Amino acid sequence: MATKHEQILEYIETLPVGEKISVRRIAKDLQVSEGTAYRAIKEAETQRLVSTIERVGTIRIERKKKENIERLTYAEIVNIVDGQVLGGKAGLHKSLTKFVIGAMQLEDMMRYTEAGNLLIVGNRFKAHEYALQAGAAVLVTGGFDASDTVKRLADEYELPVISTSYDTFTVATMINRAIYDQLIKKEILLIEDILIPYEKTHLLHEKDPISRYRELNKETTHGGFPVIDDSGKLVGIITSRDVIGHSDEETIEKVMTKDPITVSLQTSVAAAGHRMIWEGIDLLPVSDDHGKLKGVISRQDVLKAIQTAQRQPQQGETIDDIIKSQLRIPQADKLTLEFKVTPQMTNAYGSVSYGAYTTILVEAATAALKTKNRRESALENMTIYYLNPVQLDSTLHIKPLILHISRKSAKVDVEVLSDHKIVGKALLTFQLLDR
């Protein structure tokens, strides 16, 4: 049976998008304490089912699909620009398709403003009015107010009119930054993207006999299975190692591994993959915050997803992407990489930052491995045992040397030089991924 917390989350999901909710109302409707209602609403906010906006309240929003993540809702715009909603609160859940900066004559401005847009403009009341009539929301910059007519139209059309104290340039920069960040998030693979869902998961009950494990093992050829109790809660995991020497009549709960390592739906695939490699496990159960089994992921699925992701173009540039784009291969030596230390790659003291430095080391070692082995690799361990400060505008030459390579792992020594002097040494260990 679902807990009160889960019942509240299910109830919130049934509410229409745009509806306002409150702790008191949830507590009254579902006959729970206000403390329970408050905790559930906070969880709903984490799951992006609702959004809480200062001076407006908590409203039900549409959960974004990953392919549409670059679209922001007006509610998110309010939070990004520290805005105040002057009218049209009922439309805060709607998504905007693009934003238009009103830095032109009124008639020209209206040619570019369409339904679903956000017009960013100062205290130009006629522009506010025309934009709403065209189906666009309005963001008033400079801390200005809107006229009573505009506020009334906003409520009538359910299109937000938002006021912010920031200037137009700053606002446009902030919104661009938010969209850019979401594009990067879009490319990050999460467990929910590769999960084998509960309905398709082969699992066992803690009261099942070991003979049931052997039947399922023969049927699926899988070596391990998650184990649940009567409520669907994950209580253990059982593998072929656990049943050796035990009779068919014994129950699974007596031989299973209790309190297994688990991950959540929002865990990144990279983090899960590293943990599976580090712990030497082939099957990882996925559970929710209440311990209920949501599905499983296999080591094979994780490695395949990592390989696919490494071959995909990135739509939003991360720091790693910027560093990689600045690495050069001199014509003289294809195994040596060249890197010039630019201002954004330095720390507060004007020396190359540790983050940039480690990325350079990993890229050099990975490039060296690809010359010997066509397979992809995942970093397992890195030891930097010598490092001198490297100044801004210095040109680094990074020389990787493969010390050992086997079917499953490799060790690479990396030497970093500046002006023909050694300024860094590191040893990196990689797991080699099967195709």
Side-chain angles (χ1 to χ4, degrees), residues 71-294:
R71 286 195 178 184
L72 297 172
T73 62
Y74 295 119
E76 288 171 309
I77 293 292
V78 175
N79 288 328
I80 290 165
V81 301
D82 300 323
Q84 179 180 356
V85 182
L86 304 177
K89 292 178 183 177
L92 283 167
H93 65 281
K94 296 176 182 176
S95 294
L96 63 140
T97 52
K98 69 173 182 178
F99 59 90
V100 179
I101 297 174
M104 58 194 91
Q105 292 292 336
L106 186 58
E107 53 273 17
D108 294 324
M109 201 186 301
M110 289 307 107
R111 283 213 325 263
Y112 291 100
T113 308
E114 301 168 348
N117 292 180
L118 176 69
L119 176 65
I120 303 172
V121 69
N123 58 340
R124 300 174 67 178
F125 295 153
K126 275 295 176 189
H128 303 168
E129 197 174 321
Y130 288 172
L132 291 168
Q133 288 169 348
V138 179
L139 177 56
V140 186
T141 58
F144 293 111
D145 201 352
S147 69
D148 291 337
T149 304
V150 166
K151 291 175 185 176
R152 191 173 63 253
L153 279 173
D155 290 334
E156 183 185 330
Y157 296 142
E158 294 189 352
L159 288 167
V161 173
I162 305 158
S163 176
T164 176
S165 58
Y166 295 111
D167 62 82
T168 302
F169 176 79
T170 305
V171 162
T173 305
M174 292 164 85
I175 296 172
N176 260 325
R177 179 76 256 176
I179 293 171
Y180 192 74
D181 288 347
Q182 291 205 11
L183 282 170
I184 291 172
K185 288 179 186 177
K186 178 181 175 180
E187 299 304 315
I188 296 172
L189 279 173
L190 302 178
I191 293 301
E192 65 182 358
D193 298 319
I194 66 165
L195 173 78
I196 299 167
Y198 181 86
E199 301 76 36
K200 295 183 179 179
T201 298
H202 296 287
L203 48 85
L204 293 163
H205 191 278
E206 60 181 346
K207 299 298 182 187
D208 284 339
I210 289 176
S211 59
R212 176 64 190 134
Y213 165 83
R214 292 188 168 121
E215 286 170 17
L216 203 56
N217 171 246
K218 192 174 181 180
E219 181 187 324
T220 64
T221 69
H222 296 171
F225 304 97
V227 183
I228 60 168
D229 62 13
D230 291 331
S231 66
K233 195 172 182 180
L234 179 73
V235 291
I237 195 163
I238 186 165
T239 67
S240 54
R241 288 192 295 269
D242 298 319
V243 301
I244 293 171
H246 293 278
S247 66
D248 283 354
E249 293 74 30
E250 286 184 76
T251 56
I252 281 170
E253 65 179 335
K254 288 184 179 178
V255 298
M256 69 183 185
T257 301
K258 295 178 181 178
D259 302 318
I261 296 167
T262 64
V263 289
S264 74
L265 291 169
Q266 296 304 308
T267 303
S268 72
V269 170
H274 186 271
R275 191 156 192 187
M276 292 178 92
I277 290 168
W278 192 259
E279 301 283 351
I281 52 181
D282 294 318
L283 187 77
L284 204 51
V286 182
S287 62
D288 63 16
D289 292 340
H290 310 289
K292 283 203 170 180
L293 183 69
K294 304 300 287 184

